Amino acid sequence: MCGIVGYVGGQRDATPVLLEGLRRLEYRGYDSAGIAVQNGRGLTTRKLAGRVQALADSLEALPVHGESGIAHTRWATHGAPNDRNAHPHLDCTGRFAVVHNGIIENADALRTLLERSGHRFTTETDSEVLAHLVEEAPGTTLEAKVLASLAHVQGTYGLVVISAQERHKLVVARRGSPVLLGIGDGEYLVASDASAILGHTRSVVYLNDGDVAVLTPDGYHVLDAEARVQVRAVDRIDWDVEAIELGGYPHFMLKEICEQPETVCSTLRGRLLSADGTARLNGLHLTAEDRAAIRRITIVACGTSWHAGLVGREILEELAGIPVQVEYASEYRYRPQLEGPATLTLAISQSGETADTLEAIRAAQAAGSCVRGIVNVVGSTIARQCPGGIYLHAGPEIGVASTKAFTSQIAALVLLGLYLGRHGKLSRAAGQDLVTRIAALPDLVRCALALEPQVRALAQELSGAQNFLYLGRGVNFPVALEGALKLKEISYIHAEGYPAAEMKHGPIALVDERMPVVFVAPGGHVYEKVLSNMQEVKARGGRIIAITSEGNGDLHGLADYQLRVPSCPEILSPILTVIPLQLLAYHIAVLRGCDVDRPRNLAKSVTVE
Ligand code: G6P
């Protein structure tokens, strides 16, 4: 959740490199930020509550320079987001500074022990114990001290330690929280994700759980818990720096919404086989025997990815004829695991780092299920935990509210449905027809984006509302959930998504002339049913906003506002109907003066339970 950056080199000032990294990582957490640099005379630390810009202003007013350093942007778990609790944390002597992502589960016990032996704590965080453990640890080198300290630690960490005594050295450790090394020319970087260092290098080393890495300007090496040297591959990041820059857009969220014709295309690229009417998904690594064994599919995911999973249920059941259940990863992992080899467990995650989804995968694997991932971030923990899967290739998603990942997840699920269907009940002719329709999606997404001026005008009308209801049926019920989630997370307006017919069993009591009710109602086999639900809302004075498709007539005059997306096969429609909902949430949030890319209390990547 927090962002970590480290730099060791000596050829240039570490502070601007660290600050740039923090700015790139701010989407991971943004309640406080800090740096510690080493300039040959010891460590200098600066840390402040608030955004990275507050730290940057402070460093401009009173500069600090260094040859190496560490930095952190925080999303608070233990201790309020104030100056004191911001990272880096120091030991009693100020010789060791630590930045940490994760949770030290035995922090209270360690703190009590350390206080008994005379250590003085200055923060309420769990992370501070790490600095005191290093201070207390035996060993002559920083890596020896870190290895000895970690032997006492239970919980998860991605961490970097710097010492006042070892001028050009960083020690990095990983267990359960992502950290990677950036390999430069005579300089090395550390980051919790690649976007922090992309401006400096594209060569990265993903650390495994249990790894400890030592970085100096002369090189790096990776150790295991017994200090044996490990070999880790160097990977290449294939994003461009532009992918993580605003490129003229006012917000990442709007940029990412507008990128969707290209990102959906990118998920599909090279995977549609028109002659056979199927999909090429080599990365799945499913053998004919694996496929034949599948009797059920269980999807595990969180947040927007869980909504994509609900859409996936409709797609997979229709195309592949395999029963699907969709689980909140956080609930699934604590239930009795009744899966077995006949269940394909699909984990969906944009970041590939969501802790609950990762643990759900491990639980399914322990129960003998065949597990595959649908993941955006290449090299992420979930991607590496799964023996195969489908990468989204949607590029980095920076806006905290997920948008382009959602449409790419659905595109990937359509490909999977096609692939499993063609190995099952789906005829070649039906597959070929679907391939043609899927290939048309990027252009249809472009048409849906052309609704933006209408959506902006609608946002003006609706931005003062206190509550919203989003209703849909079938494959568009999850789109209603996603539309409501987008609105509440970035505009802080209360919004509820519901199956349109189920609304009669409760939420209809809320409907009056002040309640905007958004119906997701493109053409399809439940369209007429949704119109009946619209009647029920209209009869109670609700204001109806209909997301419908071209060719659907005037909706019997029921809707106060209509937004028409292009028509397409029903199972593909969520890729189009969600677009006006993303834009509506975005424009309402902007009109209400909200910080769209960094909504309060949220984090992009939830790496704690
Ligand atoms: C957080 C993000 C959401 C995201 C969810 C799951 O809550 O704010 O946008 O949908 O985590 O993340 P994942 O990376 O696993 O898709």
Side-chain angles (χ1 to χ4, degrees):
M1 314 200 64
C2 312
I4 287 177
V5 204
Y7 172 82
V8 59
Q11 305 162 0
R12 52 179 159 162
D13 186 4
T15 304
V17 179
L18 295 170
L19 259 186
E20 182 199 333
L22 285 186
R23 285 205 167 95
R24 303 254 193 233
L25 288 181
E26 195 172 21
Y27 74 101
R28 294 182 68 99
Y30 33 83
D31 61 41
S32 48
I35 68 166
V37 293
Q38 151 73 281
N39 56 15
R41 293 184 301 279
L43 297 178
T44 311
T45 305
R46 183 77 53 79
K47 51 189 203 167
L48 286 176
R51 298 289 163 89
V52 172
Q53 190 54 45
L55 178 68
D57 292 344
S58 152
L59 288 167
E60 198 178 328
L62 189 60
V64 301
H65 304 290
E67 297 157 349
S68 53
I70 59 178
H72 189 270
T73 174
R74 179 169 187 244
W75 188 90
T77 54
H78 292 55
N82 56 30
D83 291 357
R84 241 175 342 108
N85 289 333
H87 298 221
H89 296 298
L90 298 172
D91 69 314
C92 300
T93 65
R95 283 178 299 146
F96 303 104
V98 180
V99 289
H100 166 233
N101 185 8
I103 292 182
I104 308 299
E105 285 162 6
N106 59 341
D108 289 346
L110 289 172
R111 189 178 177 125
T112 306
L113 282 173
L114 287 159
E115 278 175 342
R116 267 194 217 133
S117 51
H119 290 265
R120 295 175 317 281
F121 281 73
T122 54
T123 79
E124 288 103 52
T125 65
D126 56 331
S127 310
E128 191 186 349
V129 297
L130 294 165
H132 295 279
L133 281 173
V134 173
E135 178 188 0
E136 186 78 16
T140 49
T141 61
L142 185 58
E143 56 272 34
K145 284 175 175 294
V146 171
L147 278 164
S149 304
L150 294 179
H152 300 286
V153 168
Q154 288 161 16
T156 56
Y157 48 79
L159 59 86
V160 194
V161 190
I162 189 169
S163 160
Q165 291 154 325
E166 291 180 75
R167 185 165 176 179
H168 293 299
K169 186 186 278 184
L170 300 182
V171 176
V172 186
R174 173 193 169 137
R175 189 204 286 160
S177 289
V179 199
L180 53 84
L181 313 182
I183 313 300
D185 186 11
E187 57 181 11
Y188 294 87
L189 298 110
V190 187
S192 43
D193 81 56
S195 52
I197 56 172
L198 207 50
H200 304 284
T201 178
R202 285 163 168 243
S203 300
V204 300
V205 173
Y206 297 107
L207 294 185
N208 290 346
D209 275 349
D211 285 351
V212 171
V214 184
L215 281 67
T216 70
D218 301 325
Y220 71 96
H221 56 275
V222 179
L223 305 171
D224 68 7
E226 276 75 49
R228 290 178 300 232
V229 174
Q230 304 294 303
V231 177
R232 295 280 172 261
V234 178
D235 281 286
R236 204 170 155 72
I237 306 285
D238 58 6
W239 308 332
D240 293 322
V241 175
E242 296 82 71
I244 51 170
E245 289 180 341
L246 280 166
Y249 285 93
H251 298 100
F252 281 107
M253 182 178 178
L254 184 60
K255 178 184 181 227
E256 288 158 7
I257 291 172
C258 293
E259 277 172 3
Q260 288 175 106
E262 293 78 40
T263 51
V264 169
C265 188
S266 184
T267 304
L268 301 176
R269 186 168 295 120
R271 289 169 163 168
L272 287 172
L273 302 176
S274 38
D276 285 339
T278 187
R280 180 196 286 123
L281 294 173
N282 295 343
L284 265 184
H285 301 311
L286 277 183
T287 62
E289 296 82 68
D290 292 335
R291 278 194 310 267
I294 300 169
R295 293 284 169 275
R296 303 189 62 81
I297 296 175
T298 298
I299 296 177
V300 292
C302 300
T304 289
S305 298
W306 183 77
H307 294 159
L310 291 176
V311 175
R313 175 170 66 192
E314 308 280 327
I315 292 169
L316 294 169
E317 290 190 343
E318 177 163 335
L319 296 180
I322 301 172
V324 180
Q325 68 192 63
V326 186
E327 302 275 353
Y328 287 113
S330 52
E331 293 293 321
Y332 171 88
R333 59 181 285 201
Y334 289 113
R335 288 222 310 275
Q337 301 306 321
L338 305 176
E339 317 294 20
T343 301
L344 170 67
T345 303
L346 276 181
I348 307 181
S349 175
Q350 187 286 127
S351 63
E353 301 295 349
T354 303
D356 283 317
T357 308
L358 179 62
E359 290 309 321
I361 292 174
R362 291 184 172 141
Q365 284 173 329
S369 173
C370 168
V371 176
R372 295 295 183 268
I374 296 183
V375 173
N376 192 32
V377 178
V378 175
S380 57
T381 311
I382 291 175
R384 291 191 295 147
Q385 181 71 29
C386 295
I390 308 174
Y391 275 125
L392 302 180
H393 300 306
E397 190 179 70
I398 309 282
V400 167
S402 183
T403 53
K404 65 178 180 176
F406 180 72
T407 44
S408 280
Q409 285 163 343
I410 297 171
L413 286 157
V414 168
L415 291 171
L416 181 62
L418 187 60
Y419 167 88
L420 292 175
R422 286 289 292 118
H423 284 289
K425 62 162 201 163
L426 197 69
S427 71
R428 179 195 292 245
Q432 286 170 329
D433 179 54
L434 196 57
V435 165
T436 312
R437 307 297 203 105
I438 297 169
L441 277 171
D443 283 338
L444 303 187
V445 171
R446 202 164 283 117
C447 297
L449 283 168
L451 290 168
E452 194 189 354
Q454 279 169 264
V455 180
R456 208 179 319 131
L458 181 59
Q460 297 271 6
E461 300 270 327
L462 300 176
S463 63
Q466 299 298 314
N467 295 287
F468 273 71
L469 203 52
Y470 285 72
L471 303 173
R473 296 186 79 149
V475 75
N476 278 289
F477 157 55
V479 177
L481 293 178
E482 177 62 8
L485 179 67
K486 286 299 85 124
L487 187 70
K488 77 181 110 181
E489 61 185 348
I490 59 168
S491 74
Y492 319 136
I493 295 173
H494 171 250
E496 232 181 306
Y498 237 76
E502 186 67 17
M503 171 255 328
K504 288 195 287 294
H505 301 286
I508 198 164
L510 302 171
V511 174
D512 63 15
E513 58 290 344
R514 281 165 307 169
M515 172 72 96
V517 183
V518 179
F519 276 92
V520 190
H525 77 294
V526 286
Y527 172 65
E528 294 295 333
K529 304 284 175 201
V530 182
L531 287 189
S532 308
N533 303 135
M534 267 187 214
Q535 295 275 13
E536 292 151 10
V537 169
K538 192 75 190 167
R540 280 142 190 103
R543 275 199 286 174
I544 294 181
I545 300 105
I547 313 299
T548 185
S549 47
E550 283 157 3
N552 266 358
D554 72 347
L555 306 174
H556 306 328
L558 288 168
D560 297 271
Y561 310 94
Q562 282 188 38
L563 296 164
R564 287 178 185 276
V565 298
S567 63
C568 69
E570 192 173 359
I571 53 164
L572 305 183
S573 63
I575 292 182
L576 304 181
T577 51
V578 77
I579 294 198
L581 301 186
Q582 295 169 341
L583 287 167
L584 184 64
Y586 171 78
H587 284 296
I588 289 179
V590 169
L591 286 166
R592 290 168 72 102
C594 300
D595 189 344
V596 172
D597 284 336
R598 285 174 291 259
R600 70 184 179 207
N601 304 338
L602 296 177
K604 179 74 182 156
S605 174
V606 180
T607 53
V608 294
E609 302 189 23

